[in-house]
Amino acid sequence: MERDSIAAGAMPEPASVPSFARATGLRLDAPARIDAPDTAHWDAAADLVIVGLGGAGVAAALEGVERGLSVIAVDRFSHGGSTAANGGVFYAGAGTVVQREAGIDDSPAAMTAYLDMEAGEVVSRKTIEEFVAESPATIDWLIAQGVHFSATYWPQKSSYPPLDKFLYHSDNTLVARYSQRARPAPRGHRVFARNGKKAWGLGGALTGKLEAAALAKGLDSIPHAQVTRLLTDANGRVIGVEGRRIPPDSVVSRRYAKAVARAGKWLSALPPSFPLAGFTQALGMRAFKRAEALMTRHATPFRIRAHAGVLISTGGFIMNRKMLAHFAPGFLSCLPNAAIGEDGAGILLGASVGGDTALMDRISAWRFINPPKAWSASMLVNSAGRRFTDETLYGATLGDAVAAQPGGKAWVIYDADARRDAFRQARDKTIVPFQRDLTLLNLWFNKVKASTIEELAQKLAMPPAALVRTVGDYNAACAAGSDDPFGKQRKDMRPVSRGPFYAMDASIDSKMLVLATMTVGGLRVDEATGRVLDRDSCPIEGLYAAGRSAIGICSQTYVSGLSFADCIFSGRRAARDAAAQRLRRPQRPPVEAVRA
């Protein structure tokens, strides 16, 4: 077996290291060149080798085997990744079978016009049009794999619909400034799964079906395996991966899986700014170190050849605090919304062979204040006492607006009437339990109370005259029914006029109003093929990236279900190109050597 001179576990030499590598805290090997791949030793081989079997990886795996590719998927943690753990919302439209069953009239033109506002700055119009054109057929493809959707429709604005509603507006389509440019339609398709008497569906209800279908059609899956370097030929084409893996079906593998699950549970339990977060973070890190120690002591090496290409689909890097501190330190106090595997390792692998990155400082931050509607109907102000946005915006768009304020500081200003209504709305049986609990927690413990607006401003250390003027202008607009300067619809506005008055901390580092975050930057890819681009925008032969390891449809503005849908879209795109580019059909050696 050919080996280069770099020891296992060492960081690549500076010439091979992207500028951000040492800030990641990751230990990966430099890429190795294999001059004679046909005579080198390989433990296994396949047309397509997938690194990370989350949403994008499993979509690529199934698409690949359906197109006749041999596929091996290597996954370090647990299959499904962040996609399996998400809220089960899949963004689709342009006339899906589910929309039609619900009596919803949606068109490719309307969906394209809307997504052009949300994604047109980071992907081309052609890519948006292709994503939209594929959308109805994608739902059909998912249903054919056994995924279930429901046409029960929730027409109101909400961060998440009632548990018995599965089609809803998971975006900004009902917000005036968007609906004036693109005809609204519900495009949030929640996965339907039955658990006892209640219908429920998280992302795993979709990814599990795809994985089962792929395995049934020939996917070779290697769990608890870490890819530590990419392998190239003399021309720089990526031809395989090298790594280490825990022995399968062993006591060690069970201990490793248990430690990983525990680490993921505790590390994402609370935002770092929340009381007791230090305790949960310590528990999580202890479990993670236990898993890493098992990998170090018991893992065996493997080397897999990829005849058509390697796909990186390991997610983003929100779980890597060193990497987050390097690119977006302002979000270190927020709740990471991801599985434990989103540590940036895949992005670094792609960059190690010259892959270019973009939008690495772009964080999607979710500031949801509806429900209760009483909050979004009130006012959101910054540290200067001024409004800065339409409070009814979708949570991730609102989070962007909050993060853009000085210091990321913001407060919801509301009055006694709104407080009464918020308590009443929290008891509404249509809202989801986590929405109810978060509402009550913040009504009771995240409040500053004052008898006058001036006194409230003083307690918040903001200019009293500015806040009084802001409240006065808002109340005048409510009374006159005049246009709001931020485009908020009159029906969504209520005056802040009857004391006592309240302020709720909605800043990015709020200790009670949790701000969930995810990274949306990553490797730049050719939008037609999914191949990773270098700094000169030339494709790197044999290397693909998909999902949150790559720039995609949701990298400008996230809306619920759009990352899920982009994972499926980009994963299938890469597999299609790998099938088209396959140079030959090799006789695969068995993978038992890797499994042993």
Side-chain angles (χ1 to χ4, degrees), residues 150 262 281 292 369 541:
S150 168
R262 184 171 297 171
Q281 290 287 310
E292 289 291 278
I369 59 172
E541 292 301 315

Side-chain angles (χ1 to χ4, degrees), residues 34-385:
I34 310 296
D35 289 326
D38 289 337
T39 58
H41 171 78
W42 300 95
D43 297 297
D47 295 320
L48 178 63
V49 176
I50 297 172
V51 184
L53 198 58
V58 75
L62 181 53
E63 182 74 18
V65 294
E66 287 185 335
R67 290 179 176 269
L69 294 176
S70 56
V71 182
I72 295 177
V74 179
D75 195 274
R76 182 181 176 191
F77 295 110
S78 58
H79 295 173
S82 297
T83 309
N86 71 21
V89 181
F90 190 90
Y91 197 86
T96 69
V97 64
V98 180
Q99 288 178 317
R100 296 197 304 272
E101 183 181 343
I104 302 298
D105 181 20
D106 193 13
S107 70
M111 186 177 177
T112 299
Y114 174 74
L115 286 178
D116 195 45
M117 292 183 276
E118 301 285 29
E121 295 178 13
V122 298
V123 297
S124 68
R125 182 64 178 271
K126 181 179 180 182
T127 297
I128 293 173
E129 290 173 346
E130 290 176 352
F131 176 80
V132 170
E134 290 182 16
S135 192
T138 298
I139 291 293
D140 294 340
W141 182 73
L142 294 173
I143 292 173
Q145 314 308 325
V147 180
H148 297 288
F149 297 97
S150 168
T152 52
Y153 171 43
W154 183 249
Q156 302 175 28
K157 291 178 186 175
S158 178
S159 59
Y160 202 74
L163 294 184
D164 61 346
K165 305 298 180 185
F166 288 82
L167 179 66
Y168 78 113
H169 295 266
S170 64
D171 53 17
N172 285 305
T173 52
L174 294 178
V175 176
R177 77 182 194 214
Y178 293 87
S179 62
Q180 290 166 359
R181 296 175 57 185
R183 180 162 53 84
R187 300 187 180 109
H189 293 57
R190 283 183 55 221
V191 179
F192 183 94
R194 188 165 294 281
N195 181 11
K197 294 183 179 180
K198 291 186 177 180
W200 180 251
L202 297 178
L206 188 152
T207 58
K209 296 287 188 181
L210 299 191
E211 183 176 352
L215 289 169
K217 295 177 181 180
L219 167 67
D220 288 323
S221 176
I222 304 175
H224 304 161
Q226 179 184 13
V227 171
T228 56
R229 79 165 91 202
L230 295 177
L231 306 175
T232 68
D233 64 14
N235 297 316
R237 179 186 177 88
V238 175
I239 60 169
V241 301
E242 187 175 277
R244 53 185 183 164
R245 62 84 48 93
I246 297 285
D249 302 321
S250 64
V251 173
V252 175
S253 67
R254 291 190 289 274
R255 288 170 59 196
Y256 179 84
K258 185 177 180 180
V260 165
R262 184 171 297 171
K265 173 185 175 181
W266 289 117
L267 288 173
S268 60
L270 295 171
S273 62
F274 202 86
L276 300 179
F279 176 69
T280 60
Q281 290 287 310
L283 289 176
M285 286 307 302
R286 186 166 65 182
F288 182 74
K289 289 178 180 179
R290 188 178 301 122
E292 289 291 278
L294 289 169
M295 180 69 77
T296 300
R297 288 198 301 266
H298 300 285
T300 56
F302 66 84
R303 185 176 267 188
I304 304 174
R305 185 173 186 180
H307 290 287
V310 171
L311 170 66
I312 294 172
S313 51
T314 57
F317 61 90
I318 197 68
M319 296 299 290
N320 186 328
R321 293 186 61 77
K322 290 184 178 179
M323 199 165 174
L324 187 64
H326 177 75
F327 286 109
F331 293 93
L332 284 168
S333 62
C334 304
L335 179 69
N337 188 42
I340 191 173
E342 297 219 22
D343 63 357
I347 297 173
L348 184 57
L349 275 174
S352 72
V353 291
D356 194 22
T357 59
L359 303 178
M360 297 291 281
D361 59 346
R362 176 82 178 95
I363 305 296
S364 179
W366 307 352
R367 172 54 70 230
F368 289 108
I369 59 172
N370 177 19
K373 188 176 180 180
W375 285 344
S376 64
S378 299
M379 297 169 39
L380 191 62
V381 303
N382 60 20
S383 57

Side-chain angles (χ1 to χ4, degrees), residues 535-560:
R535 293 172 183 82
D536 296 320
S537 296
C538 296
I540 297 174
E541 292 301 315
L543 184 64
Y544 300 88
R548 297 290 60 77
S549 294
I551 301 299
I553 295 285
C554 72
S555 294
Q556 175 183 320
T557 306
Y558 174 86
V559 299
S560 287

